[in-house]
Amino acid sequence: MLNIIGLGLSNERDVTLNGLAAIRRSKYIYLESYTSILSVPLSTLENLYGKELIPADRETVESGTSILSHAAADEVSLLIVGDPFSATTHTDLVLRCREHNPPIKVKTFPNASILTAIGATGLSLYKFGQTVSMPFFSENWKPESWYDRLKGNSELGLHSLVLLDIKVRERDWGEMVKGRVVYEEPRYMSVRVCARQMVEIEEGRGEGVCERGRLGVGVARLGAEDEKIVAGTLGELCDVELGEPLHSVVVCGRMHEMEWLFLREFAVDKEGFDEAYKERGYAE
Amino acid sequence: MLNIIGLGLSNERDVTLNGLAAIRRSKYIYLESYTSILSVPLSTLENLYGKELIPADRETVESGTSILSHAAADEVSLLIVGDPFSATTHTDLVLRCREHNPPIKVKTFPNASILTAIGATGLSLYKFGQTVSMPFFSENWKPESWYDRLKGNSELGLHSLVLLDIKVRERDWGEMVKGRVVYEEPRYMSVRVCARQMVEIEEGRGEGVCERGRLGVGVARLGAEDEKIVAGTLGELCDVELGEPLHSVVVCGRMHEMEWLFLREFAVDKEGFDEAYKERGYAE
């Protein structure tokens, strides 16, 4: 059988008691590490669990071959930072367990996710629209599908959570043409890079979705002891420095007075924040 | 100081190790029980924690008086079923801790929430629009604001999570006019009642948002051992019986093929489900 276990957002002790018991029962334990990361190294998890962990990159999880062959015979756990359903690859794995002959039993262990932890900003979770992913731009590749999603939310007055790109175990193209398999250093997008990409596309399209004066929030290491929350215009967020990963961004929709009161505590510039809130139509 | 601790969705062992340590350090521990419920009684939590719990109804949490006066002097925990930010009353409590003189330190412990556990249906969490609340109708009070929110999501092709009304510690009006304080039995809305209310309003408005043929999902006790997931048309959901609370509903938007494959396993009528998916414009 296969347990898919959410580890929560920050450290080794964010696992639930139910999740920990399942890990300790398991013969093989895989740790997925390409969609999100904890603030502690793998060895810290191993020490608490008293078990060895098998790091699972995208190929291992998406092919599923070794995970499924183990899970057909023994109890196996796949550990996911955040919540088990935070990425669609895990849904795909469940489908393949169902199709396996005989079917492999699957149990999921829910946990905290950035999708709800973002409530720490004071913005109401019930007023978020669809979630948006922001990819790293390159010189020749600047996709804009996120812009249309932001626009859809914005027209309904909703907030948008923007999840920032993570590049882990990416092949180095320069080495690849020489026939060598070399992986690039992991890269995690910062709030600053995200805000700059938003403003860049807005300048081209001009549909008023994420102009420099629009209010937003940058968060870093949400759920950890050293979490950071900074509110301000997207122009201000272009210059913030929030340190280590992971970062996320919210583009604000209309706000209830209580949301505004809560969020202004985190403002880069409280006066400017209040002015924007009152004069630019954010107030409900 | 005040800890606001998410307990997760199902039983006493869905608490995180970090949350449990904070509970055990606390002098006073309040259990909020009017926005959601666990599948185990209060005494089961007390036995695991080795601590006495103080049940906190809406008045206790919203007035905040006793919680704040204790938290000003000692370490206090407020336990929330699901995630700490699942209701706005908790945001309000944090605001009052900030305004207290001297300010009271607040730490939140994130956990699983229905907002992400709904991923167990196979529907992608990134394709949900704003969350909708469905209140109990009475003969003279049938609010429709949820209909407009469903419509907004629907026009963007998004899924909608519908949270169902809970009535806990409601004053009995018949007794109230006699000057007596008597509370009604707790009531929890079922998938069936929600689907019927939707179809009723649709019949009046006719804007094609939640007609009987629309695909939806009913879930009960998500995250628990006996969770139930049923997919079908809203007409079919008008007649399902999913047992004990809590229930929630999803109104489906456009689906990726993988979402459809995953969800059809739960269909009341697989053939009808496939037909609706293919012929009524759900396919992406």
Side-chain angles (χ1 to χ4, degrees), chain A residues 126-196:
Chain A
Y126 303 140
K127 287 163 60 190
F128 277 77
Q130 59 191 319
T131 302
V132 171
S133 292
M134 176 64 79
F136 273 116
F137 285 1
S138 64
E139 202 156 327
N140 306 311
W141 193 71
K142 298 183 178 180
E144 299 183 5
S145 58
W146 54 269
Y147 189 94
D148 301 303
R149 292 202 186 90
L150 281 185
K151 193 175 173 186
N153 291 340
S154 187
E155 284 170 354
L156 295 173
L158 301 173
H159 313 308
S160 301
L161 171 62
V162 186
L163 301 177
L164 310 190
D165 205 356
I166 293 179
K167 296 261 184 222
V168 181
R169 297 256 300 172
E170 293 287 314
R171 290 280 294 273
D172 181 320
W173 283 80
E175 298 288 342
M176 199 150 79
V177 296
K178 296 179 212 154
R180 288 191 288 244
V181 179
V182 175
Y183 294 101
E184 293 179 1
E185 280 289 293
R187 287 197 302 155
Y188 303 94
M189 191 185 290
S190 63
V191 165
R192 171 206 293 237
V193 167
C194 173
R196 288 178 180 187

Side-chain angles (χ1 to χ4, degrees), chain A residues 9 11-18 20 48 83 85-88 91-92 94-95 98 107 110-113 115-117 119-120 122 124-126 128-131 152-153 156 158 163 223 225 258 261-262 265-266, chain B residues 9 11-18 20 48 83 85-88 91-92 94-95 98 107 110-113 115-117 119-120 122 124-126 128-131 152-153 156 158 163 223 225 258 261-262 265-266:
Chain A
L9 292 166
N11 66 34
E12 75 284 4
R13 305 185 72 83
D14 284 332
V15 71
T16 67
L17 300 186
N18 280 321
L20 183 59
L48 175 69
D83 183 73
F85 295 108
S86 50
T88 49
T91 314
D92 187 45
V94 176
L95 272 179
R98 280 191 195 157
K107 184 162 167 46
N111 207 322
S113 155
L115 298 180
T116 47
S124 165
L125 295 176
Y126 303 140
F128 277 77
Q130 59 191 319
T131 302
N153 291 340
L156 295 173
L158 301 173
L163 301 177
E225 284 291 336
M258 204 164 76
L261 277 174
F262 201 104
E265 279 294 305
F266 306 118
Chain B
L9 292 166
N11 66 33
E12 76 283 5
R13 306 185 71 81
D14 285 332
V15 69
T16 67
L17 301 186
N18 280 321
L20 183 59
L48 175 69
D83 183 73
F85 295 107
S86 51
T88 49
T91 313
D92 188 45
V94 176
L95 272 179
R98 280 191 195 158
K107 184 160 165 49
N111 207 321
S113 157
L115 298 179
T116 48
S124 165
L125 295 176
Y126 302 140
F128 278 77
Q130 59 192 320
T131 302
N153 291 340
L156 295 173
L158 300 173
L163 301 177
E225 285 290 336
M258 204 164 77
L261 277 174
F262 201 104
E265 279 295 304
F266 306 117

Side-chain angles (χ1 to χ4, degrees), chain B residues 42-283:
Chain B
L42 182 132
S43 59
T44 309
L45 300 175
E46 291 185 325
N47 289 341
L48 175 69
Y49 306 157
K51 290 277 191 170
E52 201 180 308
L53 301 187
I54 308 162
D57 57 19
R58 187 181 291 273
E59 298 91 295
T60 309
V61 176
E62 291 188 351
S63 80
T65 327
S66 71
I67 297 176
L68 293 183
S69 69
H70 280 140
D74 293 293
E75 183 157 359
V76 169
S77 289
L78 173 63
L79 312 185
I80 311 285
V81 175
D83 183 73
F85 295 107
S86 51
T88 49
T89 46
H90 313 132
T91 313
D92 188 45
L93 203 58
V94 176
L95 272 179
R96 276 180 295 154
C97 286
R98 280 191 195 158
E99 286 157 9
H100 194 273
N101 188 6
I104 296 168
K105 202 186 155 198
V106 179
K107 184 160 165 49
T108 53
F109 295 74
N111 207 321
S113 157
I114 181 68
L115 298 179
T116 48
I118 197 67
T121 56
L123 296 172
S124 165
L125 295 176
Y126 302 140
K127 287 162 61 189
F128 278 77
Q130 59 192 320
T131 302
V132 172
S133 292
M134 177 64 79
F136 274 116
F137 286 0
S138 65
E139 202 156 327
N140 305 311
W141 192 71
K142 299 184 178 180
E144 300 183 4
S145 59
W146 54 269
Y147 188 93
D148 300 303
R149 292 201 186 91
L150 281 185
K151 191 176 174 187
N153 291 340
S154 187
E155 285 170 353
L156 295 173
L158 300 173
H159 313 308
S160 301
L161 171 63
V162 186
L163 301 177
L164 309 189
D165 205 356
I166 292 179
K167 296 262 185 221
V168 181
R169 298 256 301 172
E170 294 286 314
R171 291 280 294 273
D172 182 320
W173 283 80
E175 298 287 341
M176 200 149 79
V177 297
K178 298 180 209 153
R180 287 190 290 242
V181 178
V182 175
Y183 293 100
E184 293 180 1
E185 280 290 292
R187 287 198 301 155
Y188 303 94
M189 191 185 289
S190 64
V191 166
R192 171 206 293 236
V193 167
C194 172
R196 288 177 180 188
Q197 292 191 172
M198 283 180 169
V199 167
E200 180 185 342
I201 297 301
E202 177 64 42
E203 280 166 4
R205 296 190 42 165
E207 298 171 48
V209 171
C210 47
E211 66 278 20
R212 295 188 74 87
R214 177 101 195 208
L215 290 181
V217 192
V219 303
R221 300 173 303 287
L222 214 57
E225 285 290 336
D226 67 340
E227 74 177 15
K228 278 202 180 140
I229 303 177
V230 174
T233 62
L234 292 183
E236 286 168 336
L237 296 184
C238 285
D239 296 313
V240 294
E241 178 46 79
L242 300 181
E244 295 295 300
L246 290 175
H247 294 192
S248 307
V249 166
V250 178
V251 176
C252 297
R254 280 197 293 275
M255 285 179 255
H256 184 274
E257 194 183 350
M258 204 164 77
E259 294 179 281
W260 163 63
L261 277 174
F262 201 104
L263 192 56
R264 72 189 290 276
E265 279 295 304
F266 306 117
V268 180
D269 165 15
K270 278 202 181 60
E271 264 180 51
F273 188 82
D274 291 349
E275 215 175 275
Y277 172 72
K278 284 174 183 158
E279 290 173 15
R280 297 177 64 111
Y282 288 97

